[in-house]
Amino acid sequence: MNELTVANREPNKSTEIEEIREVCQEGILNQVRLTKVDIWLESHEGELFLFDLKTVKPNKSDFEKFKQTLLEWTAAELAREPSAVVNTMIGLPYNPYEPEPYKRWTLRGMLDLNHEVLIAEELWDFLGGEGSYVDLLDAFEMAGIELRSEIDAYFEKFR
């Protein structure tokens, strides 16, 4: 964590997991209070996918905490089962820069962008299968059309 924070190393999820795996059964294990996992999935083969869902515009200091959470989840699972296959990720539910790619500079240097972050379509299609993101957008659009008068009336109170 310290090396990432001061930019002495690039994030590399597979290297970090193996470094944790090498030491996960050594020393005295401390009781820790982990951040709750927002979405916990396990494949039929036992591979774990642990997601922390976040706001789409966090600050740089937030990403340091996010990275620490992902590493702690990995360490906890590998301490429990050293041979486990653990994937810990940040999920950003939408891209506020759409149709441009997500380009939040605070992501760089702390997270392995290819293995620790799923944004918008990547996230929802991973969770629900190909096409889930488009289906979700369609559902929100239909709800917005159907409830338009109620939504407008609600926000009229704030004018």
Side-chain angles (χ1 to χ4, degrees):
M1 225 12 245
N2 291 340
E3 290 176 356
L4 288 169
T5 302
V6 296
N8 283 345
R9 116 187 238 168
E10 291 290 316
N12 183 310
K13 186 66 170 194
S14 60
T15 299
E16 294 159 7
I17 289 171
E18 290 314 310
E19 288 173 349
I20 293 170
R21 192 183 311 277
E22 287 176 19
V23 299
C24 68
Q25 297 292 303
E26 295 178 6
I28 298 170
L29 293 179
N30 294 325
Q31 286 288 105
V32 294
R33 184 178 200 98
L34 297 172
T35 301
K36 290 193 189 294
V37 175
D38 291 322
I39 300 173
W40 181 300
L41 302 173
E42 185 172 345
S43 73
H44 293 292
E45 295 77 27
E47 186 172 358
L48 299 176
F49 297 89
L50 312 179
F51 286 89
D52 200 2
L53 300 180
K54 295 299 181 187
T55 180
V56 295
K57 292 189 176 183
N59 297 317
K60 184 176 193 246
S61 61
D62 294 332
F63 278 105
E64 291 173 12
K65 177 64 178 136
F66 300 166
K67 179 65 171 199
Q68 183 163 345
T69 295
L70 298 182
L71 292 172
E72 288 173 351
W73 287 350
T74 300
E77 284 307 307
L78 292 178
R80 185 182 59 76
E81 176 52 60
S83 63
V85 179
V86 182
N87 301 280
T88 57
M89 293 178 253
I90 298 297
L92 303 176
Y94 69 96
N95 175 4
Y97 308 107
E98 191 76 33
E100 298 297 318
Y102 187 87
K103 54 187 175 211
R104 191 81 172 153
W105 63 269
T106 51
L107 282 169
R108 300 222 178 279
M110 190 56 58
L111 297 171
D112 183 335
L113 299 181
N114 295 320
H115 300 101
E116 289 186 304
V117 182
L118 292 179
I119 302 167
E121 188 169 3
E122 295 171 319
L123 174 66
W124 297 112
D125 284 0
F126 178 85
L127 295 174
E130 191 174 334
S132 292
Y133 183 66
V134 172
D135 290 345
L136 188 59
L137 292 178
D138 289 344
F140 276 107
E141 182 179 20
M142 289 186 314
I145 290 168
E146 186 172 321
L147 300 172
R148 177 68 187 249
S149 61
E150 291 177 48
I151 294 168
D152 288 346
Y154 177 80
F155 284 107
E156 189 61 36
K157 294 186 273 188
F158 300 102
R159 287 188 180 217

